[in-house]
Amino acid sequence: ENVLNTLEMQNSFHMDLQMMSMQGEYVWCRLQFTRMKNFSRENPRFVYTVLDISEDMAQLLRQEGLVKAIEEQNEKLQQADKSKTKFFSNMSHEIRTPINAIIGMNELILRDSQNEVVKGYAENVKAASQYLLSLVNDILDYSKIEAGKMEIVPVEYNIKEVLNKVCNIIKPKLSVKSLAFELKVGKDVPARLFGDEIRISQILINLLTNAIKYTEQGKISFLVEREADEKGQAAIKFTVKD
């Protein structure tokens, strides 16, 4: 009855179902129904064919299983990524507390100590602590980095102070390998610049640390030059040689 009703509305249609073969096994088949000329309910003339589609159906089921497996894997990866981001965020908050305590106590040493040698050590501690804190803050913004929303924060800074902090941080690494270090700053390099001081410091430290890592003996040279100005902007070139 359903077949006749459907053929009254359309010339042909098919349905997929499982049928039992002569060997007693269930196989997927496609039944194709096509109405003949002068078809009517009073004269229900139609033909149908049976096509074995077991292979096609098996491939389709495998593909559906693969898609499901991929979707499940993607969901697991997303959950793992969320857990990773949450872990970094929590750890960053925990690490910032002792770092801030170190910076605070070190400020007391800088303020109260009369010993110039101790003050020199404290300045190194201050520079390293501030750099470490900036790294932790980057981890805290890990989700922003992944989302491509990390912002550059330009400020006015003193280039000589930045270079001094960077050099103080890498000095212990130079001492361990007994490497000489040479810093040259061009006389025409502006004292005050405008940019992301923290990011610039990180880049310079990474470049110098990499040079120290792959230099077994000799000297590391660090050159800072001013290039051509354009519309009130000075192009500063940093060169690291090992």
Side-chain angles (χ1 to χ4, degrees):
E1 184 67 26
N2 290 335
V3 171
L4 295 178
N5 290 339
T6 305
L7 286 175
E8 282 185 325
M9 294 182 291
Q10 56 192 63
N11 290 327
S12 65
F13 74 96
H14 71 265
M15 62 176 68
D16 298 336
L17 70 164
Q18 282 186 306
M19 300 179 66
M20 184 176 288
S21 67
M22 297 293 292
Q23 290 75 30
E25 298 177 349
Y26 282 99
V27 295
W28 280 99
C29 297
R30 173 164 294 169
L31 301 184
Q32 181 75 42
F33 296 89
T34 305
R35 71 187 186 189
M36 298 179 65
K37 189 177 181 180
N38 298 324
F39 171 88
S40 67
R41 183 168 287 276
E42 293 74 23
N43 186 26
R45 302 175 63 196
F46 65 88
V47 296
Y48 75 92
T49 57
V50 181
L51 178 65
D52 186 347
I53 59 169
S54 298
E55 288 297 325
D56 292 341
M57 187 59 70
Q59 183 177 358
L60 178 62
L61 293 174
R62 285 195 297 269
Q63 289 176 345
E64 290 180 347
L66 179 61
V67 170
K68 184 178 180 181
I70 292 174
E71 290 176 347
E72 291 176 352
Q73 184 65 24
N74 286 339
E75 185 176 352
K76 290 180 181 178
L77 290 174
Q78 289 176 0
Q79 291 297 328
D81 192 60
K82 289 179 181 178
S83 299
K84 177 182 64 177
T85 301
K86 183 178 180 181
F87 170 77
F88 278 128
S89 179
N90 291 338
M91 286 301 297
S92 298
H93 280 294
E94 294 295 326
I95 295 172
R96 287 173 71 179
T97 301
I99 293 177
N100 284 324
I102 293 171
I103 292 175
M105 289 185 288
N106 193 63
E107 287 295 332
L108 294 177
I109 296 174
L110 287 170
R111 186 188 67 185
D112 299 336
S113 177
Q114 302 300 319
N115 189 312
E116 293 301 321
V117 175
V118 173
K119 280 190 173 183
Y121 292 149
E123 287 290 347
N124 292 341
V125 172
K126 180 180 179 180
S129 299
Q130 289 176 338
Y131 174 64
L132 180 59
L133 184 59
S134 71
L135 293 179
V136 173
N137 287 334
D138 280 348
I139 297 174
L140 192 60
D141 290 332
Y142 185 77
S143 58
K144 291 184 180 180
I145 296 174
E146 291 198 324
K149 295 181 180 179
M150 173 57 68
E151 297 179 357
I152 298 297
V153 183
V155 296
E156 185 177 307
Y157 65 93
N158 187 304
I159 184 64
K160 291 184 179 180
E161 291 180 1
V162 169
L163 294 175
N164 186 53
K165 291 177 183 178
V166 168
C167 293
N168 285 336
I169 289 173
I170 66 163
K171 274 182 180 179
K173 297 179 183 293
L174 291 165
S175 299
V176 169
K177 302 184 75 171
S178 300
L179 297 174
F181 180 72
E182 180 183 41
L183 170 63
K184 290 184 178 180
V185 182
K187 294 181 179 180
D188 57 346
V189 174
R192 305 200 68 79
L193 294 169
F194 191 75
D196 194 322
E197 177 185 357
I198 299 299
R199 301 288 182 268
I200 293 171
S201 299
Q202 289 174 349
I203 293 170
L204 295 178
I205 291 171
N206 288 339
L207 289 173
L208 290 166
T209 300
N210 192 67
I212 295 170
K213 179 179 179 181
Y214 293 103
T215 302
E216 295 304 323
Q217 59 182 1
K219 180 177 68 175
I220 305 295
S221 298
F222 184 23
L223 178 62
V224 183
E225 302 172 281
R226 176 178 181 170
E227 295 191 330
D229 295 358
E230 183 179 351
K231 295 181 180 179
Q233 295 183 343
I236 307 300
K237 181 180 179 181
F238 299 95
T239 304
V240 177
K241 294 182 180 180
D242 56 51

